[in-house]
Amino acid sequence: MSSPAQQSAGKPVAFVSAQALRARMHDAVNDPHLRQSFRGAMDFLMAKRAAQFPDQGELDSLRSLSESIRQYSLSKLPDLLEQLEANLTRNGVQVHWAETPEEANAIMLGIAQRHAARLIVKGKSMVSEEIEFNHAMEAAGVGALESDMGEYIVQLAGEKPSHIIMPAIHQTKQQIAKLFAEHIPGVDYTDNVDALIQIGRRVLREKFEVADIGLSGVNFAVAETGTLCLVENEGNGRMCTTVPKVHIAITGIEKVVEKLEHVAPLFSILTRSATGQAVSTYFNMISGPRRGEDKDGPEEVHLVLLDNGRSQAYADEQLRKTLQCIRCGACMNHCPVYTRIGGHAYGTTYPGPIGKIISPHMMGLEQTHLLPTASSLCGACGEVCPVKIPIPELLIRLRGEANSAPHANPAMVGQGAAYDPKISLLWKLWARLYARPATYRAFTWLATRFRALTPTQQSGWTAARTPLKPASRRLRDMVKDRR
Amino acid sequence: MSSPSHGANTPRTYPSRPQAVYFYGTCLVDMFVPEAGMDAITLLEREGIRVIFPDNQTCCGQPAFTSGFPDEARRVVEAQLDLFPGNHPIVVPSGSCAGMIRWHWEKVCAGDPALKARAEAISARTYELAEFLLHVLGFNRKDEGPATTVTLHTSCSARREMGTHLVGRELLARLGNVTLAHHDHESECCGFGGTFSLKHPDVSTAMVSDKVASLKATGASQLVTADCGCMLNITQRAAREDQDAGRACASLPGEHLATFLLRRTGGSPCGDQK
Ligand code: SF4
């Protein structure tokens, strides 16, 4: 049976997509190589983070400060965005607003065409992944080349990132060596990591010089000064934003903060949570195009501000917390599910816990309603999140949005996508049983007296465990007997 | 209020030793592991505490709450609010049910101020058994058992909602002849997660199999845990592995912390008497 939400979408997409997600998860957990490599990589990242926070008290207060900065920024979001636009414009940056990925791509393609651009060189940007920027450009005959080493590898392999900070974490050095030898002219197979990095650097260097446009993401946009802050380690971000004649930055509307002084604590907790670095190698602050006496820098700077479902999350007090995220990736590094299945199994741009809570706003619940259920609610993500997003609480909320019968004025697109009258009826019966002590006692009396009749096939439980069997007497019987 | 899993690591203040407590057994213990509940009651009574077992108790509502059926959870919670008329502490032999009562009852009742106030009054005096034994009763009895090595699993709710991850360790450390063997990835979930284990058997199985392997690698003679959900998940996975490998005896037997503490300190667990 399909819900009205599904009917309005034409066909029950949810079913197909949920089935595909299950199949990917099944394949991933049964891939020993994947299991081993993600376990190793996540253990490494967890240890690096832990080493950055030896003092629990300092961590607690930095998390509280970071949470309050993000919540304060969001509480003033509409004003801050206006202020940001005004100050960026004053600084000579052209600001564009995009509601959908299509709009964002059209804006950027327009800029590219105005400059007759043939090649866009890209710094790391998850928002550009979110809007499938590379495909959109290539479809229009404009080349888009990733210059972050991980992204470059993923692009060569024709894949998507499997981690928001470490895009190629699923690739072994042997696989990378093969990719380089196959795709880069004149390169022989070598799995020496230093040699591979040198090869990548050489290829990309040449491209920076010929690229017409540089694209980058934004980590923090400062409203009061009109400054775009960019955190990176390879220097490719600085190249993208200074060498080509045109720089386009793209980011989600939630990335704004009011003051420059709000950036420092967020920057510190971001790098320490993400890669376990005290600071990143590069921190770029972009305040406009090249000015008269400047020796370098782009002649034109653009900022594209993307909504893509963010204002839906913003409109709801609880769901708004999703937008506090500073994209550090710590939630995925600590997630026992992500560790088992890797990033690709999710089938979304953002994998892991953050992906489970933000993708439903970007893609609708019809396609994503199974994601929030794929969690044991262990709380490891909420425990490490530097801005204290209550991820388990949001997962529960999203389960409720998906399960409830479709109603008017839903908080989310696709509300009711997993509504199943039979399941809902079962929970109603469950509630009746457990809300009436006498009925509950009768039920448990029967279940224990007739325990021999307990079915031995118990759905997912007996897939891997011996069956559950009620005890011969209940706790309440034992209590009564003893008194 | 927000739970410690969201970073509010405020240490809890504990009351002085009460004369009586309410015992909230949980539906899982009531039907599947009643010995654990009975042994917990015996432990409390042996410390001189009068234990009241409200006969109308059923379930804390957690299965519906975490599955995204808040209305159904509220109906069940509402039926539990009358169980504790006196001012005694409420002791729960499970971190996850204690966490549900302590942090989430007020949320499911949020729509009705009167109900919410009642839920809050109950949340404030709800304790997980292990923390109650350690912090309120100062449990410290002589270990009378032979030397043994055990391994401990602390549930995610005990760890991250109740903030009691060090409590089980401390209680075991007070037993002179017991060595605690730590396992790798100790803070990681065992993969139970209530309906998660039914809805996502592939991932849940991967998680519990890894947990069983880590626990067995310690070479400990048994598992101790203060949560029966995790215990059934882990031991019945281990039992299945034993079955598949044709092993006759359990390679990873497990029991509730209450049962273990009682036996070690001269008591007789009700399961042993048969
Ligand atoms: S949700 Fe929190 S932990 Fe996860 S990426 Fe965002 S900021 Fe980092």
Side-chain angles (χ1 to χ4, degrees):
Chain A
M1 181 175 285
S2 63
S3 68
Q6 289 166 351
Q7 283 156 9
S8 70
K11 57 182 191 291
V13 195
F15 180 65
V16 177
S17 166
Q19 214 178 25
L21 174 61
R22 284 190 182 287
R24 285 194 302 268
M25 286 174 28
H26 176 85
D27 291 348
V29 296
N30 290 303
D31 177 347
H33 163 70
L34 179 145
R35 291 277 294 279
Q36 209 185 358
S37 69
F38 272 92
R39 170 56 98 188
M42 297 306 112
D43 281 353
F44 175 74
L45 288 168
M46 285 195 285
K48 291 258 289 179
R49 173 189 175 273
Q52 281 295 329
F53 299 111
D55 180 349
Q56 182 67 36
E58 193 245 4
L59 171 59
D60 289 346
S61 52
L62 187 55
R63 286 178 77 223
S64 297
L65 175 64
S66 305
E67 176 194 33
S68 59
I69 292 172
R70 290 299 300 137
Q71 287 185 343
Y72 172 78
S73 312
L74 291 172
S75 73
K76 294 182 68 174
L77 187 63
D79 293 344
L80 292 185
L81 284 169
E82 272 182 31
Q83 195 186 2
L84 177 73
E85 180 177 31
N87 286 326
L88 281 170
T89 308
R90 200 197 56 209
N91 292 346
V93 176
Q94 300 174 46
V95 179
H96 312 263
W97 301 87
E99 205 177 312
T100 62
E102 293 73 28
E103 278 178 39
N105 283 324
I107 290 166
M108 294 192 281
L109 187 62
I111 298 170
Q113 284 168 342
R114 201 148 39 72
H115 289 275
R118 277 167 313 162
L119 180 66
I120 300 175
V121 69
K122 294 180 65 196
K124 191 168 162 16
S125 155
M126 286 307 295
V127 174
S128 77
E129 297 285 348
E130 183 185 325
I131 63 173
E132 308 246 11
F133 174 82
N134 296 4
H135 283 150
M137 293 305 121
E138 272 149 26
V142 182
L145 180 75
E146 300 287 352
S147 69
D148 171 272
M149 196 57 72
E151 292 281 353
Y152 177 63
I153 293 165
V154 166
Q155 188 178 32
L156 281 185
E159 294 176 327
K160 290 201 128 208
S162 60
H163 189 285
I164 64 170
I165 300 291
M166 312 271 172
I169 199 137
H170 58 286
Q171 292 266 2
T172 61
K173 64 178 179 185
Q174 289 80 10
Q175 289 172 312
I176 296 166
K178 249 184 90 198
L179 273 175
F180 277 29
E182 277 169 18
H183 292 273
I184 307 173
V187 167
D188 294 330
Y189 181 94
T190 169
D191 57 17
N192 178 308
V193 175
D194 289 332
L196 288 169
I197 291 174
Q198 287 314 319
I199 295 166
R201 283 179 68 114
R202 198 192 61 210
V203 174
L204 294 169
R205 266 292 146 166
E206 291 163 11
K207 299 293 183 183
F208 284 122
E209 278 155 26
V210 297
D212 308 287
I213 296 177
L215 184 114
S216 79
V218 175
N219 292 90
F220 314 106
V222 186
E224 209 174 68
T225 54
T227 310
L228 307 176
C229 304
L230 187 60
V231 179
E232 50 132 354
N233 275 319
E234 297 174 9
N236 65 310
R238 182 156 301 172
M239 297 289 281
C240 288
T241 57
T242 52
V243 178
K245 278 215 282 221
V246 180
H247 167 215
I248 306 174
I250 178 161
T251 196
I253 51 170
E254 80 281 20
K255 286 284 175 68
V256 65
V257 295
E258 184 177 29
K259 297 168 193 292
L260 220 40
E261 68 204 53
H262 290 161
V263 172
L266 293 177
F267 174 45
S268 171
I269 206 165
L270 169 63
T271 61
R272 291 158 84 189
S273 302
T275 45
Q277 290 171 287
V279 286
S280 55
T281 316
Y282 290 82
F283 182 74
N284 307 285
M285 300 176 86
I286 297 146
S287 308
R290 169 198 298 230
R291 293 183 184 111
E293 67 282 11
D294 290 355
K295 293 215 169 57
D296 59 7
E299 288 161 15
E300 235 179 85
V301 178
H302 299 264
L303 174 69
V304 180
L305 287 160
L306 175 71
D307 184 333
N308 195 23
R310 288 163 174 83
S311 51
Q312 170 182 289
Y314 187 77
D316 181 282
E317 198 191 335
Q318 187 184 30
L319 298 171
R320 179 182 294 184
K321 294 176 184 174
T322 313
L323 303 180
Q324 286 167 219
C325 177
I326 56 171
R327 304 283 191 271
C328 72
C331 56
M332 49 199 80
N333 301 345
H334 291 75
C335 176
V337 174
Y338 177 88
T339 304
R340 300 302 183 305
I341 65 175
H344 287 151
Y346 292 79
T348 49
T349 302
Y350 304 93
I354 179 61
K356 288 177 194 170
I357 59 172
I358 200 154
S359 307
H361 297 290
M362 297 173 171
M363 303 164 73
L365 273 170
E366 289 96 343
Q367 287 189 63
T368 56
H369 66 81
L370 196 63
L371 284 175
T373 70
S375 164
S376 65
L377 301 177
C378 76
C381 48
E383 187 180 43
V384 297
C385 176
V387 289
K388 290 167 80 166
I389 301 176
I391 299 172
E393 189 184 300
L394 294 172
L395 291 171
I396 292 173
R397 167 72 191 276
L398 293 171
R399 291 176 183 185
E401 290 291 334
N403 287 340
S404 52
H407 55 74
N409 304 320
M412 304 184 63
V413 172
Q415 180 274 323
Y419 172 65
D420 178 339
K422 271 184 293 192
I423 303 278
S424 293
L425 180 66
L426 279 178
W427 279 109
K428 281 207 173 67
L429 293 173
W430 177 89
R432 280 193 170 211
L433 181 63
Y434 283 80
R436 293 176 189 183
T439 324
Y440 168 82
R441 278 193 295 266
F443 163 72
T444 51
W445 187 88
L446 287 169
T448 45
R449 273 8 169 240
F450 296 98
R451 61 200 282 263
L453 304 178
T454 311
T456 50
Q457 290 302 315
Q458 300 164 350
S459 120
W461 179 267
T462 40
R465 302 164 193 83
T466 54
L468 285 170
K469 197 170 180 186
S472 54
R473 288 155 73 237
R474 303 165 298 177
L475 174 60
R476 62 192 63 239
D477 302 322
M478 291 184 170
V479 170
K480 225 170 247 152
D481 285 2
R482 217 178 49 157
R483 296 215 160 123
Chain B
M1 271 201 293
S2 77
S3 74
S5 77
H6 311 141
N9 288 324
T10 32
R12 192 168 188 187
T13 45
Y14 291 97
S16 55
R17 170 184 288 260
Q19 290 198 315
V21 299
Y22 290 111
F23 192 78
Y24 193 76
T26 81
C27 62
L28 196 69
V29 166
D30 189 26
M31 212 158 85
F32 292 97
V33 203
E35 322 82 65
M38 205 58 231
D39 295 337
I41 291 172
T42 308
L43 270 181
L44 292 166
E45 288 180 341
R46 204 177 55 171
E47 298 297 314
I49 306 288
R50 186 163 64 88
V51 177
I52 306 162
F53 185 90
D55 199 43
N56 278 347
Q57 59 181 284
T58 62
C59 169
C60 66
Q62 184 176 198
F65 175 68
T66 56
S67 298
F69 290 91
D71 292 343
E72 284 69 18
R74 199 202 58 246
R75 292 190 56 188
V76 173
V77 170
E78 235 182 295
Q80 310 292 292
L81 295 178
D82 294 329
L83 299 174
F84 319 104
N87 208 24
H88 318 301
I90 298 143
V91 178
V92 189
S94 151
S96 85
C97 309
M100 177 71 197
I101 300 174
R102 181 146 153 79
W103 300 112
H104 307 302
W105 273 19
E106 62 181 66
K107 287 185 198 151
V108 299
C109 296
D112 179 337
L115 221 54
K116 182 167 185 269
R118 289 169 69 200
E120 279 171 346
I122 290 171
S123 305
R125 57 189 166 103
T126 298
Y127 302 90
E128 188 233 347
L129 173 74
E131 67 171 332
F132 191 82
L133 287 174
L134 184 73
H135 292 308
V136 182
L137 302 183
F139 185 89
N140 199 359
R141 291 198 168 237
K142 192 173 170 340
D143 185 6
E144 294 175 12
T148 186
T149 300
V150 302
T151 186
L152 174 74
H153 171 71
T154 304
S155 75
C156 298
S157 318
R159 182 181 299 278
R160 304 198 178 92
E161 293 204 306
M162 300 304 288
T164 58
H165 57 290
L166 297 176
V167 168
R169 285 189 187 193
E170 177 58 27
L171 286 169
L172 292 177
R174 290 183 177 193
L175 299 173
N177 284 333
V178 173
T179 307
L180 174 59
H182 299 291
H183 60 286
D184 66 274
H185 299 94
E186 189 172 328
S187 62
E188 196 171 85
C189 177
C190 72
F192 176 49
T195 47
F196 169 72
S197 60
L198 308 177
K199 218 168 163 115
H200 294 281
D202 285 325
V203 186
S204 175
T205 301
M207 286 164 70
V208 69
S209 305
D210 286 351
K211 181 58 83 177
V212 165
S214 299
L215 289 165
K216 280 192 194 172
T218 63
S221 62
Q222 72 164 99
L223 166 72
V224 177
T225 175
D227 262 85
C228 287
C230 311
M231 183 176 92
L232 293 172
N233 180 45
I234 295 168
T235 54
Q236 299 201 205
R237 169 62 194 161
R240 175 66 178 271
E241 287 176 11
D242 292 341
Q243 215 175 62
D244 292 350
R247 282 189 289 267
C249 61
S251 57
L252 188 64
E255 64 190 352
H256 194 278
L257 179 69
T259 304
F260 185 74
L261 286 177
L262 186 62
R263 182 182 313 106
R264 297 296 305 189
T265 56
S268 27
C270 62
D272 292 5
Q273 292 157 7
K274 282 179 205 147

